[in-house]
Amino acid sequence: MYISLRPWVIEDSATLTEYFNNINIWNNLRDYIPHPYTLEEAEDFITIQSELFPTQNFAILNEDQIVGGIGISLQADIYKMNVELGYWVAEPFWGTGIGTIAVGLLTQYVFDSFAINRIVAEVFEHNKASMRVLEKNGFHLETVRRKGILKNDLLMDDYVWVKQKIF
């Protein structure tokens, strides 16, 4: 298994659309990502991402196959020394260690490429595998926001994981 990250390209639109239309993937994503997800929405996302420098969102590859996505959102105002990390692995590849490798790769890239101090990742209470991915990459659980999110009409806990840059 050889895991790498590369910027999304417009030719990835169909694959991204297919993966985001898997309800098991979408159940772990923010609601601003629509469901169902259209090819046009994938193309728009990729076009916007291609204009950002340094790159903020990547396809996760196993060899040449897209197996997930990972990226950051830059924060503003008093939070400008933080980025928020988000990632997903396509369901056929769950439990293979791909997420752990991808988070490690992106963490190094972010600390090398952006003037930030902290990477923050929020995880829904049921996603223990994602919490383990963060823990393996040196993130620590900073807080749990009890019943802090509403997803699929369910109130649930939001686990906030953080990794700080070591100066």
Side-chain angles (χ1 to χ4, degrees):
M1 177 168 63
Y2 175 72
I3 304 304
S4 62
L5 308 179
R6 72 151 166 77
W8 291 98
V9 295
I10 205 71
E11 293 79 13
D12 299 332
S13 298
T15 301
L16 181 59
T17 301
E18 176 187 345
Y19 286 149
F20 273 8
N21 280 314
N22 178 334
I23 193 67
N24 295 320
I25 298 294
W26 187 80
N27 281 337
N28 289 296
L29 300 176
R30 300 275 178 93
D31 285 346
Y32 70 80
I33 298 170
H35 189 81
Y37 193 76
T38 67
L39 185 61
E40 181 180 357
E41 288 161 335
E43 290 169 348
D44 289 347
F45 168 77
I46 292 169
T47 299
I48 290 166
Q49 293 307 309
S50 70
E51 297 170 358
L52 300 178
F53 183 81
T55 302
Q56 295 176 27
N57 284 279
F58 298 87
I60 303 170
L61 302 178
N62 181 6
E63 306 298 333
D64 292 328
Q65 181 182 13
I66 296 173
V67 295
I70 190 166
I72 59 164
S73 297
L74 301 175
Q75 304 299 292
D77 197 38
I78 61 171
Y79 302 104
K80 63 184 162 265
M81 294 301 291
N82 296 262
V83 299
E84 183 175 0
L85 168 67
Y87 55 92
W88 56 273
V89 174
E91 189 172 10
F93 306 99
W94 288 358
T96 62
I98 289 170
T100 300
I101 295 167
V103 167
L105 292 170
L106 189 71
T107 297
Q108 187 62 52
Y109 167 79
V110 168
F111 283 139
D112 289 346
S113 302
F114 295 88
I116 58 107
N117 179 49
R118 291 166 31 108
I119 301 173
V120 179
E122 297 181 31
V123 183
F124 301 166
E125 68 181 33
H126 61 267
N127 197 343
K128 304 301 184 203
S130 188
M131 292 183 213
R132 184 71 182 124
V133 163
L134 294 166
E135 187 176 39
K136 287 180 185 178
N137 277 287
F139 285 70
H140 71 273
L141 181 61
E142 185 170 79
T143 193
V144 178
R145 293 187 270 208
R146 301 287 178 207
K147 305 303 177 203
I149 59 173
L150 180 69
K151 178 72 177 180
N152 296 330
D153 295 322
L154 295 172
L155 276 173
M156 62 180 104
D157 296 348
D158 179 28
Y159 287 68
V160 180
W161 292 80
V162 173
K163 184 165 187 174
Q164 289 193 243
K165 188 172 188 175
I166 300 171
F167 293 99

